[in-house]
């Protein structure tokens, strides 16, 4: 059975890898993409998504432009981690697809209404578009089959301050968690925080299990994008590897059993301090608003990643599709 999936990206290197993973997954039908500013400005996010769709032979998937700035406050992008255009060293020709005539918030609502009770929502960037969609359609949590969010940090060294996605727009994040806790307590979002996603570290050895980049444009995209990502991780003291935050969230959107979770009530710090955007879990709350990912098997993820992306690369062959 294929699952209809609607994804909200701020494409970025790992968002691009997550998009490739979804397109490579036979159990996913990507019915739409929302673009939000985050890793790079929203205009560049739109260009990146259209270009990756073109490369992967799926230019017809609807792409909608969304918010470029948080609901409250200035935008702070992350080109030093993702490259000046968001795809590291990768340079792709522009996609032939066009943006929809409606914004990303409307796209969220339309997709949920078109697939009531079946749509899987995936948010790997700031939650601005989703918060705006909830303002337009408060019943949205009851329309989705499930929601998976990449964001936050709930234990360990990173839990003392904001993770990028939540910190970019903490007001939007607070609205999203409150909405699900109130409207859909039986369909709580699965949240993949840094303490979970940092278990998924791709290395050159794992990347080398894919077909040779020279004959496979999709693999060349990943190779060029991840090389920049590796270097950015080295500069931050992590070693020559890269955490695949967003691809893990994409995999969990399709297969929730890949992760073990604990319910918690997540509070978003909104005070104008250095900790603004921090995610504070109450593990003993009587009314949780999220299922926090606490355990994952990296080998199981990478088995799927290599098999699916390798198969997509082989299907596409050595010539990028043009239509």
């Amino acid at each position: 059975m294929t699952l209809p999936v609607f994804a909200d990206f701020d494409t970025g290197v790992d968002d691009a890898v997550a998009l490739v993973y979804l397109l490579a997954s036979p159990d996913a039908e990507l019915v739409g993409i929302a673009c939000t500013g985050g890793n790079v400005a929203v205009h560049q996010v739109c260009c990146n998504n259209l270009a990756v769709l073109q490369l992967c032979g799926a230019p017809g998937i609807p792409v909608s432009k969304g918010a470029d700035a948080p609901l409250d406050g200035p935008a702070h992008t992350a080109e030093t981690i993702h490259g000046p255009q968001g795809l590291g060293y990768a340079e792709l020709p522009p996609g032939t697809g066009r943006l929809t005539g409606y914004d990303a918030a409307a796209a969220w609502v339309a997709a949920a209404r078109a697939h009531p009770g079946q749509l899987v929502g995936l948010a790997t960037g700031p939650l601005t578009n989703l918060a705006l969609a909830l303002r337009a359609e408060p019943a949205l949590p009851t329309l989705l089959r499930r929601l998976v969010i990449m964001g936050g940090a709930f234990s360990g060294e990173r839990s003392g301050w904001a993770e990028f996605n939540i910190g970019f727009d903490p007001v939007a994040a607070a609205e999203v968690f409150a909405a699900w806790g109130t409207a859909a307590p039986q369909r709580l979002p699965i949240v993949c925080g840094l303490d979970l996603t940092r278990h998924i570290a791709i290395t050159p050895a794992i990347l080398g299990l894919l077909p040779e980049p020279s004959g496979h444009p999709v693999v060349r995209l990943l190779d060029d994008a991840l090389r920049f990502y590796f270097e950015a991780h080295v500069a931050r003291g992590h070693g020559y590897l890269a955490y695949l935050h967003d691809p893990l969230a994409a995999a969990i959107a399709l297969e929730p059993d890949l992760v073990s979770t604990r319910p918690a009530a997540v509070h978003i710090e909104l005070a104008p301090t250095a900790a603004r955007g921090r995610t504070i879990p109450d593990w003993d709350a009587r009314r949780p608003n999220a299922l926090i990912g606490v355990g994952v098997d990296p080998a199981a993820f990478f088995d799927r990643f290599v098999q699916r992306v390798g198969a997509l690369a082989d299907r596409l062959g050595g010539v990028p599709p043009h239509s």
Side-chain angles (χ1 to χ4, degrees):
M1 182 182 69
T2 58
L3 295 169
V5 178
F6 184 87
D8 198 322
F9 294 131
D10 64 332
T11 315
V13 171
D14 58 330
D15 305 79
V17 180
L19 175 52
V20 170
Y21 184 90
L22 290 176
L23 295 171
S25 296
D27 48 345
E29 178 194 1
L30 190 57
V31 299
I33 295 173
C35 304
T36 182
N39 290 323
V40 289
V42 72
H43 169 75
Q44 188 62 51
V45 171
C46 294
C47 293
N48 291 348
N49 287 329
L50 291 170
V52 174
L53 289 175
Q54 183 75 27
L55 187 74
C56 293
I61 293 174
V63 177
S64 300
K65 183 180 179 181
D68 196 24
L71 296 176
D72 179 19
H76 299 284
T77 52
E79 286 87 354
T80 56
I81 298 175
H82 295 272
Q85 295 179 319
L87 296 180
Y89 292 120
E91 296 183 4
L92 299 183
T96 60
R98 295 181 177 272
L99 298 176
T100 66
Y102 43 89
D103 67 20
W108 265 106
V109 175
R113 288 174 175 167
H115 305 275
Q118 297 300 313
L119 186 69
V120 175
L122 171 66
T124 67
L127 296 176
T128 316
N129 292 331
L130 185 51
L132 292 171
L134 285 164
R135 292 180 180 185
E137 176 50 276
L140 186 61
T142 66
L143 292 174
L144 296 186
R145 181 187 184 119
R146 62 177 162 266
L147 172 68
V148 176
I149 295 169
M150 191 281 123
F154 303 96
S155 64
E157 59 175 322
R158 284 293 284 111
S159 62
W161 58 92
E163 172 273 333
F164 178 82
N165 287 342
I166 303 300
F168 188 94
D169 194 342
V171 172
E175 292 187 14
V176 169
F177 282 106
W180 254 262
T182 301
Q186 304 306 314
R187 299 185 186 183
L188 297 180
I190 299 173
V191 183
C192 305
L194 294 179
D195 37 310
L196 180 79
T197 60
R198 284 189 172 188
H199 290 288
I200 306 300
I202 193 169
T203 62
I206 296 173
L207 191 57
L209 297 174
L210 295 173
E212 282 295 320
S214 60
H216 296 82
V218 171
V219 182
R220 186 162 63 249
L221 161 66
L222 300 186
D223 192 66
D224 290 342
L226 286 168
R227 190 167 71 257
F228 189 99
Y229 215 37
F230 289 150
E231 294 172 3
H233 282 68
V234 167
R236 284 156 181 78
H238 301 302
Y240 201 73
L241 51 78
Y243 300 125
L244 294 188
H245 311 287
D246 297 344
L248 175 62
I252 291 169
L254 303 181
E255 298 178 84
D257 291 344
L258 282 173
V259 67
S260 56
T261 64
R262 284 182 63 189
V266 177
H267 168 74
I268 310 296
E269 179 58 65
L270 297 180
T273 67
R276 179 176 166 84
R278 180 186 174 199
T279 46
I280 305 169
D282 179 355
W283 302 106
D284 299 316
R286 296 181 62 182
R287 296 186 64 183
N289 58 18
L291 299 173
I292 308 301
V294 295
V296 66
D297 180 353
F301 168 81
F302 280 116
D303 283 347
R304 287 164 171 79
F305 179 82
V306 171
Q307 189 277 326
R308 294 181 183 206
V309 175
L312 174 66
D314 285 336
R315 285 199 303 274
L316 293 174
V319 180
H322 296 290
S323 61

